[in-house]
Amino acid sequence: MSVYTLPELPYDYAALEPVINPAIIELHHDKHHAAYVKGANDTLEQLAEARDKDQWGAVTGLEKSLAFNLSGHILHSIYWHNMTGDGGGEPLAEDGVGELADAIRESFGSFAGFKAQLTKAAATTQGSGWGILAYEPLSGRLIVEQIYDHQGNVGQGSTPILVFDAWEHAFYLQYKNQKVDFIEAMWRVVNWQDVARRYASAKARENVLLAP
């Protein structure tokens, strides 16, 4: 039985134009995201078979495959909801996202400083990767992380709340090799309402990383 399923898009393929064209959204969601879901499910089945047969010669590769595909599924599931056709701009108190706006200023000094850091983190990933804004529970602050592939370079326990996909399949059909242009355009579709909800949810969780 499949454990993971491909979520439906929260909008139609054309909803993010002109920042992202429909062909990219369709290919990205229906093919690439779907492949990570299948990969995670297939790997779980292979791990179950290894347990049944007590054969562990492939365990290192299987664990790596599970981390890669599961993280790809999780990050893409956040990615779709992080965007909206009427988004963008700066998070402001008058839009009901004041707590998030305050946290960004406290953690990065200003929205401009945060925007510059996340833009650079996403745009300068080597090869395939992501730039993300995450809630770090030990300090209670927001941090920017630069992710290699789907799961490398991440502080354990941090919760992603805003993700910028910098893999070529996210932009190449429209932006060619101009990754920087794509990342700059992404700011026009950020769904701050969704990011604020994710921030509030992450902040409300009990800190279980260290004993009290």
Side-chain angles (χ1 to χ4, degrees):
M1 178 181 296
S2 296
V3 176
Y4 303 108
T5 58
L6 180 67
E8 296 288 336
L9 285 171
Y11 34 70
D12 62 41
Y13 295 138
L16 302 178
E17 285 195 294
V19 173
I20 308 178
N21 68 39
I24 289 178
I25 297 294
E26 182 176 7
L27 179 66
H28 196 169
H29 175 268
D30 297 0
K31 301 298 183 181
H32 291 281
H33 189 172
Y36 300 130
V37 173
K38 183 179 186 302
N41 286 323
D42 288 350
T43 305
L44 287 178
E45 291 181 4
Q46 294 173 65
L47 284 166
E49 182 179 359
R51 290 193 300 273
D52 290 341
K53 297 180 178 180
D54 197 25
Q55 295 179 353
W56 300 105
V59 66
T60 298
L62 289 174
E63 295 291 359
K64 184 175 182 180
S65 174
L66 181 61
F68 175 84
N69 286 292
L70 178 55
S71 295
H73 173 37
I74 291 170
L75 289 171
H76 281 91
S77 296
I78 297 170
Y79 180 68
W80 306 123
H81 288 274
N82 271 173
M83 298 182 290
T84 178
D86 57 358
E90 179 177 347
L92 300 171
E94 51 262 42
D95 297 325
V97 292
E99 185 177 2
L100 172 66
D102 290 343
I104 288 174
R105 284 193 296 270
E106 290 170 6
S107 297
F108 300 99
S110 65
F111 176 76
F114 154 66
K115 182 178 179 181
Q117 185 176 343
L118 181 54
T119 297
K120 291 297 184 182
T124 60
T125 52
Q126 294 182 340
S128 302
W130 299 69
I132 73 168
L133 172 67
Y135 177 74
E136 197 287 290
L138 290 185
S139 64
R141 63 177 291 142
L142 295 172
I143 60 173
V144 164
E145 296 180 321
Q146 187 182 56
I147 298 180
Y148 173 71
D149 279 344
H150 291 318
Q151 78 279 2
N153 300 345
V154 176
Q156 299 301 311
S158 61
T159 301
I161 63 173
L162 173 62
V163 300
F164 280 12
D165 191 343
W167 283 60
E168 284 192 347
H169 64 238
F171 63 88
Y172 199 85
L173 288 178
Q174 184 174 355
Y175 293 85
K176 305 307 179 188
N177 64 338
Q178 299 303 311
K179 184 190 296 186
V180 174
D181 291 347
F182 170 65
I183 300 303
E184 289 286 356
M186 276 289 298
W187 290 102
R188 293 159 51 192
V189 294
V190 173
N191 184 348
W192 292 116
Q193 298 294 328
D194 181 68
V195 180
R197 286 191 294 270
R198 294 179 186 278
Y199 170 67
S201 177
K203 187 177 179 183
R205 294 176 189 151
E206 181 180 359
N207 181 11
V208 297
L209 294 180
L210 295 179

